[in-house]
Amino acid sequence: MMKKSNWIQIFLFCLFLAGFFVLNLCTPDRDFSEQENRYLQLRPKFSCRELFFGDYTSKFETYTTDQFPFRDSWISLKARSEILLGKKENNGVYLCPGNTLIKPFSEPDEQLLETNINAVNLLTEHAGCPVYLTLVPGASETWADKLPKNAPNASQTAVIDTVRARTEAQYIDLTDALAAHAEEPIYYRTDHHWTTLGAYYGYSALMQAMELQPLPLESFHRRIVSDSFCGTSWSSSGFSWVPPEQIETFVEETDAVHVTNYPSGKPVEGRMYHDEFLGQKDKYSYFWGGNTPLLQITTAHTDAPALLILRDSYMDCLSPFLTEHFSRIDILDLRYYRTSLQTYLQEHDFDAVLVCYSVSNFCTDSSVYLAGR
């Protein structure tokens, strides 16, 4: 009887393996996962050279994992299993009250942080105009009370205090400005960015620190452009049942604001908002068309100062507010811009430079050192 039972188990196991083998053969490969918002590994091309001297086996292992049948469903099943086991975390993301997904902040690499601070100090020394530095605290800081008590969440305020003490730039603190509105939806529930509302409060604090008068919130026409946004936290967590949310705009796009984009080193006509992204997974690229090395923006305020911004993607939904206060705004993303920054400063006349990063990105972005070059 025992022997027969063993044979039945072996048969079922082999049937299981054979079934997934057939599914793998019949299921077409996907080059992009909408749920995970990333490109998937396609079947690597076989060659003896790649097998013995390349990374063929590593690529093939990734391929089998990425193209596993019903991959998205398995990811969601794993996340649901974690919840049933009493856990609130999956893939480093916590499911918090109000269907809010938060990734805790990790202790920074002290050496990289010091390198980035020194780069901004070098920029301050050679810019020839005032340099402002601001770091945006993320949801895991402002909404830390939403995280479980045992979540390993390092202090972003401690990083901000360190940067403020060591920088030679004029530091602008946004911590209090955001904390004062912590009960409002200033961060996305499903994404790591702040919302346009959160960016507005950041903009107000920036303008006041730069001795400019921010426009009141009620002067803007708030418009919902999407109600189906699921951000990067949603994609990486596996919590696929968390409902989507809205994306808003406050600043209207007008002909008075002219945008030149340099997506691949050559100038093309740019726009503040790109409606085509609202029908895609990466809806946050609606602002300015997503990551790009350089944006050059001119406005009708010809007597206003000119501003250079070094930034990460948190600036995407904040920068439209700035078009009311500057004649020209050049926005550089050092992750993609590889020409000398000092040369760019010498070739263009700016009244101020603003370095704006999230705390997390400033601690981890190895391209910030280019600010001192």
Side-chain angles (χ1 to χ4, degrees):
M1 185 71 181
M2 189 68 178
K3 187 175 181 180
K4 183 178 180 180
S5 175
N6 289 341
W7 277 109
I8 292 174
Q9 292 180 39
I10 292 171
F11 173 77
L12 291 176
F13 180 70
C14 291
L15 184 64
F16 178 81
L17 292 179
F20 273 96
F21 177 76
V22 172
L23 278 174
N24 268 314
L25 293 177
C26 298
T27 305
D29 291 347
R30 299 184 301 159
D31 61 351
F32 186 80
S33 169
E34 287 284 343
Q35 178 167 316
E36 297 177 77
N37 193 31
R38 69 176 182 90
Y39 288 95
L40 302 176
Q41 174 68 53
L42 298 177
R43 183 188 295 272
K45 186 177 180 180
F46 176 81
S47 71
C48 292
R49 180 178 181 82
E50 280 294 310
L51 179 61
F52 293 105
F53 303 105
D55 56 354
Y56 177 82
T57 54
S58 176
K59 287 182 179 178
F60 193 83
E61 182 180 358
T62 303
Y63 164 75
T64 57
T65 302
D66 281 2
Q67 302 298 339
F68 197 81
F70 311 118
R71 174 182 171 83
D72 291 346
S73 298
W74 289 112
I75 292 173
S76 296
L77 179 61
K78 177 181 179 293
R80 290 184 183 276
S81 300
E82 297 292 333
I83 296 299
L84 289 174
L85 291 172
K87 299 180 181 179
K88 295 292 185 180
E89 177 269 336
N90 191 51
N91 291 339
V93 178
Y94 283 83
L95 178 60
C96 301
N99 280 320
T100 302
L101 305 179
I102 300 178
K103 184 176 182 178
F105 179 66
S106 300
E107 289 287 351
D109 181 324
E110 292 292 340
Q111 184 174 354
L112 180 57
L113 179 60
E114 187 68 24
T115 297
N116 291 347
I117 294 172
N118 290 337
V120 176
N121 288 343
L122 283 172
L123 171 64
T124 304
E125 181 181 347
H126 300 295
C129 62
V131 175
Y132 299 89
L133 170 63
T134 188
L135 300 182
V136 183
S140 63
E141 183 71 18
T142 309
W143 286 350
D145 59 325
K146 294 179 181 289
L147 285 165
K149 291 182 179 180
N150 61 342
N153 188 33
S155 172
Q156 295 184 42
T157 299
V159 173
I160 290 172
D161 290 342
T162 297
V163 172
R164 179 167 36 205
R166 298 180 186 176
T167 186
E168 296 173 11
Q170 300 181 48
Y171 189 81
I172 301 175
D173 193 357
L174 303 184
T175 305
D176 291 341
L178 292 172
H181 299 277
E183 299 303 317
E184 301 175 44
I186 57 175
Y187 300 98
Y188 288 109
R189 290 185 296 99
T190 67
D191 193 68
H192 64 285
H193 291 103
W194 55 8
T195 61
T196 312
L197 179 62
Y200 168 79
Y201 293 127
Y203 144 79
S204 296
L206 286 174
M207 293 300 94
Q208 291 171 17
M210 298 174 74
E211 298 183 350
L212 296 170
Q213 184 62 42
L215 298 179
L217 183 60
E218 56 271 16
S219 69
F220 295 100
H221 174 63
R222 296 176 64 171
R223 184 166 60 95
I224 297 172
V225 296
S226 175
D227 59 4
S228 58
F229 177 52
C230 294
T232 55
S233 301
W234 184 92
S235 298
S236 62
S237 68
F239 297 128
S240 58
W241 61 89
V242 170
E245 54 188 327
Q246 298 174 342
I247 294 179
E248 284 186 300
T249 59
F250 288 34
V251 179
E252 293 293 325
E253 190 162 27
T254 68
D255 293 336
V257 176
H258 182 264
V259 182
T260 303
N261 195 351
Y262 291 79
S264 58
K266 296 181 180 179
V268 298
E269 190 76 17
R271 302 195 310 276
M272 187 180 296
Y273 305 123
H274 289 248
D275 291 342
E276 65 270 20
F277 283 100
L278 296 178
Q280 302 178 23
K281 175 64 173 65
D282 185 19
K283 291 178 173 56
Y284 192 77
S285 290
Y286 168 77
F287 299 101
W288 305 107
N291 296 327
T292 188
L294 172 64
L295 290 167
Q296 292 178 330
I297 305 162
T298 58
T299 75
H301 308 293
T302 55
D303 295 331
L307 177 67
L308 172 65
I309 301 175
L310 307 181
R311 55 83 171 204
D312 63 10
S313 54
Y314 272 65
M315 181 54 63
D316 288 355
C317 61
L318 184 149
S319 44
F321 294 108
L322 303 179
T323 59
E324 299 291 335
H325 303 276
F326 296 93
S327 60
R328 191 173 90 249
I329 306 168
D330 288 13
I331 304 177
L332 287 176
D333 191 328
L334 295 175
R335 293 172 297 178
Y336 311 104
Y337 186 84
R338 292 308 182 204
T339 305
S340 167
L341 179 60
Q342 292 302 319
T343 301
Y344 193 85
L345 283 165
Q346 292 168 7
E347 293 175 348
H348 301 81
D349 186 23
F350 294 104
D351 296 289
V353 176
L354 171 63
V355 181
C356 179
Y357 283 80
S358 69
V359 174
S360 179
N361 283 340
F362 192 78
C363 292
T364 57
D365 191 340
S366 59
S367 63
V368 176
Y369 83 96
L370 294 171
R373 296 293 180 94

